[in-house]
Short mmCIF file of all heavy atoms in Angstrom, two decimals:
data_model
loop_
_atom_site.label_atom_id
_atom_site.label_comp_id
_atom_site.label_asym_id
_atom_site.label_seq_id
_atom_site.Cartn_x
_atom_site.Cartn_y
_atom_site.Cartn_z
N ALA A 478 -10.04 15.04 1.96
CA ALA A 478 -10.30 15.44 0.60
C ALA A 478 -9.65 16.78 0.32
O ALA A 478 -9.21 17.50 1.22
CB ALA A 478 -11.82 15.54 0.36
N SER A 479 -9.58 17.15 -0.97
CA SER A 479 -8.96 18.41 -1.35
C SER A 479 -9.72 19.61 -0.78
O SER A 479 -9.11 20.65 -0.57
CB SER A 479 -8.85 18.52 -2.87
OG SER A 479 -10.09 18.27 -3.49
N ILE A 480 -11.02 19.47 -0.52
CA ILE A 480 -11.80 20.53 0.08
C ILE A 480 -11.66 20.54 1.60
O ILE A 480 -12.21 21.45 2.24
CB ILE A 480 -13.27 20.45 -0.31
CG1 ILE A 480 -13.88 19.12 0.16
CG2 ILE A 480 -13.45 20.62 -1.81
CD1 ILE A 480 -15.39 19.05 0.00
N GLY A 481 -10.98 19.55 2.19
CA GLY A 481 -10.73 19.56 3.61
C GLY A 481 -11.57 18.62 4.44
O GLY A 481 -11.32 18.49 5.65
N ARG A 482 -12.54 17.98 3.85
CA ARG A 482 -13.37 17.00 4.60
C ARG A 482 -12.53 15.83 5.04
O ARG A 482 -11.72 15.31 4.27
CB ARG A 482 -14.52 16.54 3.71
CG ARG A 482 -15.51 15.64 4.42
CD ARG A 482 -16.68 15.31 3.51
NE ARG A 482 -16.25 14.57 2.34
CZ ARG A 482 -16.29 15.03 1.10
NH1 ARG A 482 -16.75 16.25 0.88
NH2 ARG A 482 -15.90 14.29 0.09
N THR A 483 -12.70 15.40 6.30
CA THR A 483 -11.90 14.31 6.86
C THR A 483 -12.76 13.18 7.38
O THR A 483 -13.94 13.37 7.68
CB THR A 483 -11.03 14.82 8.02
OG1 THR A 483 -11.88 15.34 9.06
CG2 THR A 483 -10.07 15.93 7.56
N ASN A 484 -12.15 11.99 7.47
CA ASN A 484 -12.76 10.90 8.19
C ASN A 484 -11.65 10.06 8.81
O ASN A 484 -10.54 10.02 8.32
CB ASN A 484 -13.69 10.06 7.32
CG ASN A 484 -12.97 9.30 6.24
OD1 ASN A 484 -12.61 9.85 5.19
ND2 ASN A 484 -12.73 8.01 6.47
N TYR A 485 -12.01 9.38 9.92
CA TYR A 485 -11.04 8.63 10.71
C TYR A 485 -11.58 7.27 11.08
O TYR A 485 -12.79 7.09 11.25
CB TYR A 485 -10.73 9.37 12.02
CG TYR A 485 -10.07 10.70 11.86
CD1 TYR A 485 -10.83 11.85 11.74
CD2 TYR A 485 -8.68 10.82 11.80
CE1 TYR A 485 -10.24 13.11 11.60
CE2 TYR A 485 -8.08 12.07 11.68
CZ TYR A 485 -8.86 13.19 11.56
OH TYR A 485 -8.25 14.42 11.41
N ALA A 486 -10.67 6.31 11.21
CA ALA A 486 -11.04 5.04 11.79
C ALA A 486 -11.41 5.25 13.26
O ALA A 486 -10.84 6.11 13.94
CB ALA A 486 -9.88 4.05 11.70
N ASP A 487 -12.36 4.48 13.74
CA ASP A 487 -12.81 4.63 15.12
C ASP A 487 -11.65 4.43 16.11
O ASP A 487 -11.63 5.07 17.17
CB ASP A 487 -13.92 3.62 15.43
CG ASP A 487 -15.24 3.99 14.77
OD1 ASP A 487 -15.42 5.17 14.38
OD2 ASP A 487 -16.09 3.09 14.64
N SER A 488 -10.72 3.58 15.77
CA SER A 488 -9.63 3.27 16.69
C SER A 488 -8.66 4.44 16.90
O SER A 488 -7.93 4.43 17.89
CB SER A 488 -8.84 2.05 16.16
OG SER A 488 -8.33 2.30 14.87
N VAL A 489 -8.67 5.43 16.02
CA VAL A 489 -7.74 6.56 16.17
C VAL A 489 -8.44 7.88 16.36
O VAL A 489 -7.79 8.90 16.61
CB VAL A 489 -6.80 6.66 14.95
CG1 VAL A 489 -6.11 5.34 14.68
CG2 VAL A 489 -7.57 7.14 13.71
N LYS A 490 -9.76 7.89 16.28
CA LYS A 490 -10.52 9.12 16.41
C LYS A 490 -10.25 9.77 17.76
O LYS A 490 -10.30 9.11 18.80
CB LYS A 490 -12.01 8.82 16.23
CG LYS A 490 -12.87 10.06 15.99
CD LYS A 490 -14.28 9.67 15.59
CE LYS A 490 -14.30 8.91 14.27
NZ LYS A 490 -15.68 8.54 13.85
N GLY A 491 -9.96 11.05 17.75
CA GLY A 491 -9.64 11.80 18.96
C GLY A 491 -8.18 11.79 19.30
O GLY A 491 -7.76 12.59 20.16
N ARG A 492 -7.40 10.92 18.69
CA ARG A 492 -5.96 10.84 18.96
C ARG A 492 -5.12 11.29 17.77
O ARG A 492 -4.05 11.87 17.95
CB ARG A 492 -5.56 9.40 19.37
CG ARG A 492 -6.25 8.91 20.59
CD ARG A 492 -5.66 7.55 21.04
NE ARG A 492 -5.88 6.51 20.04
CZ ARG A 492 -4.91 5.84 19.41
NH1 ARG A 492 -3.64 6.09 19.71
NH2 ARG A 492 -5.21 4.90 18.55
N PHE A 493 -5.58 10.98 16.56
CA PHE A 493 -4.86 11.30 15.35
C PHE A 493 -5.55 12.45 14.62
O PHE A 493 -6.76 12.58 14.65
CB PHE A 493 -4.81 10.10 14.40
CG PHE A 493 -3.96 8.94 14.86
CD1 PHE A 493 -3.45 8.87 16.14
CD2 PHE A 493 -3.68 7.91 13.98
CE1 PHE A 493 -2.67 7.81 16.56
CE2 PHE A 493 -2.90 6.83 14.38
CZ PHE A 493 -2.39 6.78 15.67
N THR A 494 -4.76 13.27 13.93
CA THR A 494 -5.27 14.33 13.12
C THR A 494 -4.59 14.34 11.74
O THR A 494 -3.37 14.37 11.66
CB THR A 494 -5.04 15.70 13.80
OG1 THR A 494 -5.67 15.74 15.07
CG2 THR A 494 -5.64 16.82 12.93
N ILE A 495 -5.40 14.28 10.70
CA ILE A 495 -4.86 14.37 9.36
C ILE A 495 -5.03 15.79 8.84
O ILE A 495 -6.04 16.44 9.12
CB ILE A 495 -5.56 13.35 8.42
CG1 ILE A 495 -4.86 13.30 7.06
CG2 ILE A 495 -7.05 13.65 8.26
CD1 ILE A 495 -5.34 12.16 6.16
N SER A 496 -4.03 16.27 8.12
CA SER A 496 -4.10 17.59 7.55
C SER A 496 -3.33 17.60 6.24
O SER A 496 -2.59 16.66 5.94
CB SER A 496 -3.53 18.64 8.50
OG SER A 496 -2.15 18.39 8.78
N ARG A 497 -3.52 18.64 5.44
CA ARG A 497 -2.83 18.74 4.16
C ARG A 497 -2.45 20.17 3.85
O ARG A 497 -3.10 21.11 4.29
CB ARG A 497 -3.66 18.12 3.02
CG ARG A 497 -5.01 18.83 2.79
CD ARG A 497 -5.82 18.05 1.77
NE ARG A 497 -5.25 18.10 0.44
CZ ARG A 497 -5.55 17.30 -0.58
NH1 ARG A 497 -6.43 16.31 -0.39
NH2 ARG A 497 -4.98 17.46 -1.76
N ASP A 498 -1.37 20.31 3.11
CA ASP A 498 -0.90 21.59 2.62
C ASP A 498 -0.91 21.48 1.10
O ASP A 498 -0.03 20.87 0.50
CB ASP A 498 0.50 21.89 3.15
CG ASP A 498 0.98 23.28 2.76
OD1 ASP A 498 0.53 23.84 1.74
OD2 ASP A 498 1.85 23.81 3.46
N ASN A 499 -1.92 22.05 0.48
CA ASN A 499 -2.07 21.90 -0.97
C ASN A 499 -0.96 22.58 -1.77
O ASN A 499 -0.58 22.13 -2.85
CB ASN A 499 -3.44 22.44 -1.41
CG ASN A 499 -4.59 21.58 -0.94
OD1 ASN A 499 -4.42 20.38 -0.71
ND2 ASN A 499 -5.77 22.17 -0.81
N ALA A 500 -0.43 23.67 -1.21
CA ALA A 500 0.67 24.38 -1.88
C ALA A 500 1.92 23.51 -1.94
O ALA A 500 2.71 23.62 -2.89
CB ALA A 500 0.98 25.69 -1.19
N LYS A 501 2.10 22.63 -0.94
CA LYS A 501 3.26 21.75 -0.89
C LYS A 501 2.95 20.34 -1.37
O LYS A 501 3.84 19.49 -1.38
CB LYS A 501 3.81 21.68 0.53
CG LYS A 501 4.34 23.01 1.06
CD LYS A 501 4.87 22.84 2.47
CE LYS A 501 5.41 24.14 3.01
NZ LYS A 501 5.90 23.99 4.42
N ASN A 502 1.70 20.08 -1.72
CA ASN A 502 1.26 18.74 -2.10
C ASN A 502 1.66 17.71 -1.07
O ASN A 502 2.21 16.64 -1.39
CB ASN A 502 1.81 18.36 -3.47
CG ASN A 502 1.16 19.16 -4.59
OD1 ASN A 502 -0.03 19.42 -4.58
ND2 ASN A 502 1.96 19.55 -5.57
#
């Protein structure tokens, strides 16, 4: 989310990381 809250599928949890740069969209 725009506030930074994340969620992951169980199959990728611990291996994948999602992140965002709001200044760069």
Side-chain angles (χ1 to χ4, degrees):
S479 52
I480 61 172
R482 185 176 63 247
T483 61
N484 68 280
Y485 297 90
D487 288 340
S488 58
V489 307
K490 195 170 296 182
R492 300 188 297 120
F493 291 11
T494 302
I495 189 171
S496 62
R497 61 187 291 164
D498 185 335
N499 290 334
K501 297 180 179 179
N502 290 320

